[in-house]
């Protein structure tokens, strides 16, 4: 696949303003929140406008960028004042991220990295920091029990390894069960597939969560 073919799949706007779909999965029984961005890159830094806002003076206003390209997930340090490190080694310029990496941002924040690939093509990258996780994807969001095959892994014995997906269809978030004989419960109703609305309540297996736009 060429660069041009990959770029055609990116959700974007015109000019300097970026446009992307986003939502948040908030788990009912824990403090865990998964912030989902359907786009090509996310910016982290001290400014409130950043996708990952890191309010600490050791962090530059725009500190770094995590991006998905056709050949991998990348992290770029934006010439920040206090620098960044991957697994204890200082980052110079742009690096490829690997599943299981640890990112240190300005000596103030330590983050885990999860990269999901399919047929050696990057599908998503997740940045985890305490209760908050930031998922960057350009495809569907997979939910299930197997962390090597899904974006949002849940330790729930009533879930299948890859149980459900969320995707945007004509600007609308749709959740679908990928298991033929196991329906989802959305807003109290069993369903195979349905539109997600603001504050939709979801149950997959025994796990309860809320979708927020």
């Amino acid at each position: 696949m060429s660069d041009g073919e990959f770029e055609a799949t990116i959700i974007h706007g015109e000019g300097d303003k970026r446009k992307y779909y986003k939502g948040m999965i908030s788990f009912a029984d824990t403090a865990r929140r998964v912030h989902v961005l359907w786009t090509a890159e996310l910016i982290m830094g001290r400014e409130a406008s950043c996708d990952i806002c890191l309010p600490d003076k050791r962090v530059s206003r725009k500190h770094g960028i995590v991006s998905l390209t056709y050949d991998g997930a990348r992290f770029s340090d934006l010439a920040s004042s206090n620098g960044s490190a991957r697994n204890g080694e200082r980052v110079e310029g742009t690096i490829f991220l690997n599943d299981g990496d640890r990112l240190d941002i300005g000596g103030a924040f330590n983050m885990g990295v999860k990269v999901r690939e399919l047929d050696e093509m990057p599908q998503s990258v997740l940045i985890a920091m305490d209760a908050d996780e930031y998922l960057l994807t350009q495809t569907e969001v997979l939910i299930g029990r197997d962390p090597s095959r899904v974006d949002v892994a849940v330790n729930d014995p009533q879930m299948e390894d890859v149980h459900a997906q969320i995707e945007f269809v004509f600007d609308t978030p749709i959740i679908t069960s990928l298991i033929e004989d196991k329906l989802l419960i959305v807003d109290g109703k069993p369903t195979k597939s349905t539109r997600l609305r603001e504050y939709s309540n979801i149950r997959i297996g025994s796990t309860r969560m809320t979708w927020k736009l």
Side-chain angles (χ1 to χ4, degrees), residues 60-73:
S60 295
R61 288 183 174 85
K62 286 187 170 61
H63 197 105
I65 294 178
V66 176
S67 59
L68 275 173
T69 67
Y70 71 95
D71 58 349

Side-chain angles (χ1 to χ4, degrees), residues 85-199:
R86 191 264 302 270
N87 301 333
E89 295 186 6
R90 187 177 178 88
V91 173
E92 303 290 348
T94 299
I95 60 170
F96 283 102
L97 293 171
N98 300 308
D99 191 43
D101 279 349
R102 302 292 304 185
L103 279 177
D104 181 281
I105 305 301
F109 295 91
N110 192 270
M111 307 171 174
V113 176
K114 181 181 185 302
V115 179
R116 177 172 71 87
E117 294 184 345
L118 180 64
D119 298 328
E120 300 184 353
M121 290 286 292
Q123 303 298 303
S124 70
V125 57
L126 183 142
I127 306 297
M129 183 177 60
D130 299 325
D132 287 292
E133 302 170 21
Y134 298 84
L135 178 65
L136 179 63
T137 182
Q138 294 185 16
T139 59
E140 73 285 344
V141 175
L142 297 180
I143 304 170
R145 198 170 57 188
D146 185 349
S148 68
R149 298 172 60 195
V150 299
D151 306 294
V152 181
V154 184
N155 185 18
D156 180 349
Q158 294 186 33
M159 273 196 201
E160 299 298 326
D161 288 349
V162 184
H163 197 119
Q165 70 176 20
I166 300 174
E167 58 185 342
F168 267 86
V169 180
F170 300 115
D171 299 339
T172 301
I174 303 292
I175 188 167
T176 303
S177 174
L178 301 177
I179 308 301
E180 189 63 34
D181 59 346
K182 292 190 177 181
L183 299 179
L184 311 172
I185 307 296
V186 179
D187 295 326
K189 299 178 180 179
T191 182
K192 170 70 174 177
S193 183
T194 191
R195 172 185 180 183
L196 289 175
R197 304 176 186 275
E198 179 76 359
Y199 298 109

